[in-house]
Amino acid sequence: MNGHAAFVTGASRGIGLGAAVELAKRGFSVALNGSKDRKGLEDAARQVSEAGSGRAVAVPFDVSDIGSHERAIDRAEAEIGPLTTLVNNAGVGVTSRGDILDATEESWDRCLAVNAKAMFFLSQAFSKRLLGRTRNPSLFYSIVNVSSANAVAVSATRAEYCVSKAAAAMVSKAFAARLGAEEIPVFDVQPGLIRTAMTKPVIEDYAERARFGLTLYPRVGTPEEVGRLIAGLASGALPYTTGQAISADGGLLLSRF
């Protein structure tokens, strides 16, 4: 163990699990969060434990339940020690794709509650925890948020999701501005077309379009690739850098003629 301890939300599968595994490989102890699939979360924790030398523990709770944040951090720290790193990855999609004129208040509230509000208040709770105690100068402290290429690129069939991810991107900027004086960086990772359970219904169509030029890389990305990026940021791979939006999108959003 190297003293680094990360809390990763939405870590039972996909990008969150990819990040947790890569952090473990770098010597981090990891607390994994998930809200529904308890068995999947326990299995993920075992996988993360086997990947590295630190501890891995499951901390199930619903990130949209703001009142549970302090208790979740308490439990994580009781299991793996003082946290150095928060990876806000938990997210949800729209309840159904379709015409923006048919978007529902229920879907809007769900996207904003999980994708933006939960990220804001969990970052707040984590930041207060760090600022309220003496930090080890030999350790690297950070917040890595996962938003989406849809924080920038609109999809009218998923408008409420896009709005929530644009809000999430601003959460990163706001906390970077607050924590800069403490030299605690905040990053916004914006994945593009990534093969996950959330994208399963549409990813093959996008994979075909990627082969024909939608992305500069002629393929979609993997959770493991985004996980390596997140782990690199959490390990200080980009020194003297904060508030940056980092596109993990294979060149999807690069302006082209």
Side-chain angles (χ1 to χ4, degrees), residues 139-199:
L139 299 178
F140 187 79
Y141 297 82
S142 67
I143 298 175
V144 183
N145 294 326
V146 180
S147 62
S148 169
N150 283 126
V152 178
V154 67
S155 171
T157 62
R158 297 181 296 130
E160 61 271 41
Y161 175 83
C162 297
V163 171
S164 71
K165 291 300 187 176
M170 184 53 71
V171 170
S172 297
K173 292 180 175 66
F175 275 90
R178 173 61 178 87
L179 299 177
E182 303 290 337
E183 299 197 23
I184 300 171
V186 182
F187 302 103
D188 173 21
V189 176
Q190 298 184 348
L193 308 175
I194 309 299
R195 191 178 295 277
T196 67
M198 183 184 292
T199 63

Side-chain angles (χ1 to χ4, degrees), residues 9 11 23 30-31 53 59 66 81 91 100 102-103 106 118 124 130 141 152 174 212 217 224 235 251 255:
T9 67
L23 287 164
V30 185
S53 58
V59 182
I66 307 303
I100 188 174
D102 296 322
E106 176 189 10
Q124 182 188 77
L130 291 191
Y141 297 82
V152 178
F212 287 94
Y217 286 7
E224 293 76 17
S235 301
S255 296

Side-chain angles (χ1 to χ4, degrees), residues 93-113:
V94 296
T95 54
S96 64
R97 295 173 181 244
D99 191 333
I100 188 174
L101 302 183
D102 296 322
T104 65
E105 184 179 7
E106 176 189 10
S107 184
W108 168 278
D109 288 346
R110 178 172 177 261
C111 284
L112 269 292

Side-chain angles (χ1 to χ4, degrees), residues 7 20 49 61 83 127 144 146 151 163 171 192 195 205 220 228 234 251:
F7 199 164
S49 179
F61 73 101
L83 294 174
S127 298
V144 183
V146 180
V163 171
V171 170
R195 191 178 295 277
D205 175 60
V220 298
R228 288 199 295 273

